[in-house]
Amino acid sequence: MEIKKKDIRALTKEQLREFFVKQGDKAFRGNQVYEWLWQKSAHSFEDMTNISLDTRQMLQDNFVINHIKVDQMQRSSDGTIKNAVRLHDDLIVESVLIPTATRTTACVSSQVGCSLDCKFCATARLKRMRNLNPDEIYDQVVAIDNESRLYHNRPLSNIVFMGMGEPLMNYNNVLKAIDKITSPEGLGMSPKRIVVSTSGVPKMIKKMADDEVKFKLAVSLHSAIDEVRTSIMPFNATFPLSDLREALQYWYAKTKNRITYEYVVWDGINDKRKDVDALVEFCKFAPSKVNLIEYNPIDDGEFQQANSRALDMYVDVLEANNITVTVRRSRGKDIDAACGQLANKG
Ligand code: SF4
């Protein structure tokens, strides 16, 4: 019977050091292997050239490295790149590289499918299969960093957890991945360049604040009126805006980190003056700014981007109330890599 080997990257550095001591080797060997696994992102034990052949064989006999594989890479005419990433169990997730003049951002997935059911989102149509492991999240970032260097001649500068899945429903693994991404033994990126974007799970927002995380928080708000929000994000019935508001106030009191509200204006759904007024009131609860995002229809259904008059009204009213607002144009539409479009269409 074939013995299932353990994924070596599930071990902490300390556990790796202990493993080598048990094998009669030096603990330091654990540090060397750890560096290969994370900082150098080795895909196989053979790559570990400063480790003796016997030791590499011993590792091969005991462990596997479940590295992701970029199955398909699509490049958009605007420089956006979408990766279809195959996991060790043959499931697929997607991640996206978004280049602008000043930064290169990786948009990564945290779950296969999603636990939530936002009506406007392509990912919601795939049922949640499983959470991603920390190494699977980390590998997506490394793959995009490599592509950024290759196609845009610069390293990755920012990361957003805005791909498939709700990151706060896979909190522990997302946190472990961010630890590796920010550690000098991993990619050494500043946590200030990382944004975790949630649909708003109040309990987990408070937990993040208690954990004193250093990355930034974005909330996909889309409406500050319970009735409207529940109609497009049904879980809002369980976590209403009053709970979200309280959690966000708690977050700001603890972290002093301003919150970004991601917001799409849809035709006939949230394009009226009362919708803007409710957003203005919500923004007063904690220091925040608003990102108005261009929407990409996932089919000819009920969700269509509002006209430019409605968008202008949002910008004018928010600015008149001294709320910072940016309008984010969508990228990579021609390859279905834009926000809310990730659904393994290939
Ligand atoms: S918008 Fe985000 S949280 Fe909502 S279903 Fe899509 S992936 Fe999940």
Side-chain angles (χ1 to χ4, degrees):
M1 194 181 77
E2 201 193 330
I3 300 166
K4 201 160 182 286
K5 295 182 201 168
K6 195 174 164 83
D7 179 2
I8 191 166
R9 289 191 299 171
L11 300 186
T12 62
K13 189 172 174 182
E14 213 30 63
Q15 288 169 329
L16 256 184
R17 286 166 57 88
E18 281 164 20
F19 171 80
F20 277 101
V21 172
K22 275 196 198 131
Q23 298 287 323
D25 202 335
K26 296 192 181 67
F28 170 71
R29 199 76 59 223
N31 297 19
Q32 286 180 309
V33 170
Y34 191 85
E35 189 179 321
W36 275 109
L37 292 173
W38 295 103
Q39 208 171 15
K40 297 180 182 159
S41 214
H43 283 230
S44 78
F45 296 111
E46 279 163 36
D47 293 345
M48 302 180 178
T49 44
N50 63 351
I51 307 287
S52 74
L53 272 177
D54 286 350
T55 305
R56 279 188 251 165
Q57 187 57 51
M58 181 274 290
L59 289 172
Q60 182 84 43
D61 294 341
N62 284 281
F63 297 106
V64 285
I65 304 176
N66 281 336
H67 221 284
I68 62 160
K69 278 194 206 78
V70 176
D71 231 24
Q72 196 191 15
M73 187 193 78
Q74 289 173 276
R75 291 173 68 192
S76 159
S77 50
D78 66 15
T80 303
I81 295 176
K82 180 168 81 170
N83 291 333
V85 166
R86 186 173 294 277
L87 309 171
H88 68 92
D89 50 4
D90 276 343
L91 292 171
I92 307 268
V93 291
E94 293 177 342
S95 33
V96 183
L97 176 158
I98 308 149
T100 64
T102 52
R103 54 171 68 177
T104 316
T105 302
C107 174
V108 296
S109 295
S110 54
Q111 297 181 309
V112 187
C114 187
S115 344
L116 300 179
D117 51 0
C118 304
K119 299 285 184 224
F120 50 82
C121 171
T123 306
R125 296 180 181 183
L126 313 165
K127 71 175 184 350
R128 189 192 78 87
M129 314 282 282
R130 70 170 173 87
N131 286 337
L132 293 189
N133 297 325
D135 49 285
E136 291 168 330
I137 297 170
Y138 182 85
D139 288 352
Q140 291 176 66
V141 174
V142 172
I144 290 191
D145 184 37
N146 290 339
E147 289 165 352
S148 179
R149 288 167 199 271
L150 186 63
Y151 297 108
H152 297 281
N153 298 316
R154 57 190 184 193
L156 184 66
S157 62
N158 295 71
I159 302 172
V160 292
F161 281 80
M162 224 179 261
M164 301 167 118
E166 163 52 64
L168 299 194
M169 294 289 195
N170 184 18
Y171 180 68
N172 288 339
N173 288 351
V174 165
L175 223 59
K176 281 185 196 161
I178 292 178
D179 265 357
K180 289 278 185 319
I181 292 164
T182 52
S183 152
E185 289 173 328
L187 297 178
M189 274 183 81
S190 163
K192 294 200 175 72
R193 294 181 170 275
I194 300 176
V195 178
V196 169
S197 176
T198 173
S199 50
V201 188
K203 194 175 78 186
M204 298 312 295
I205 292 173
K206 284 186 176 170
K207 168 112 180 72
M208 279 199 300
D210 287 338
D211 288 346
E212 296 178 7
V213 299
K214 299 281 181 290
F215 49 79
K216 294 184 177 164
L217 173 66
V219 175
S220 294
L221 191 62
H222 305 312
S223 176
I225 300 174
D226 267 318
E227 227 187 324
V228 179
R229 195 165 194 259
T230 301
S231 73
I232 53 178
M233 303 169 88
F235 65 88
N236 187 72
T238 320
F239 309 124
L241 287 163
S242 52
D243 290 4
L244 180 59
R245 161 194 172 171
E246 195 210 321
L248 293 172
Q249 286 173 323
Y250 187 85
W251 159 270
Y252 187 78
K254 284 238 164 180
T255 66
K256 294 285 171 286
N257 252 333
R258 181 163 82 150
I259 303 143
T260 300
Y261 296 126
E262 309 285 356
Y263 202 103
V264 178
V265 187
W266 287 286
D267 188 33
I269 292 179
N270 57 355
D271 57 352
K272 305 283 177 310
R273 178 63 196 239
K274 68 174 173 43
D275 298 295
V276 197
D277 291 341
L279 176 59
V280 167
E281 284 310 304
F282 199 85
C283 286
K284 289 180 185 163
F285 297 144
S288 49
K289 64 171 181 162
V290 175
N291 239 348
L292 293 177
I293 309 168
E294 194 186 352
Y295 183 66
N296 308 286
I298 48 178
D299 50 30
D300 328 318
E302 56 177 310
F303 291 96
Q304 299 296 331
Q305 161 97 20
N307 61 30
S308 56
R309 268 212 323 276
L311 270 184
D312 291 346
M313 172 181 67
Y314 263 90
V315 173
D316 292 347
V317 177
L318 288 166
E319 283 181 345
N321 283 278
N322 297 318
I323 297 162
T324 308
V325 52
T326 49
V327 180
R328 204 174 73 207
R329 293 201 59 77
S330 198
R331 312 284 307 250
K333 276 192 257 194
D334 52 339
I335 55 170
D336 281 342
C339 227
Q341 282 189 326
L342 300 185
N344 293 346
K345 272 202 275 182

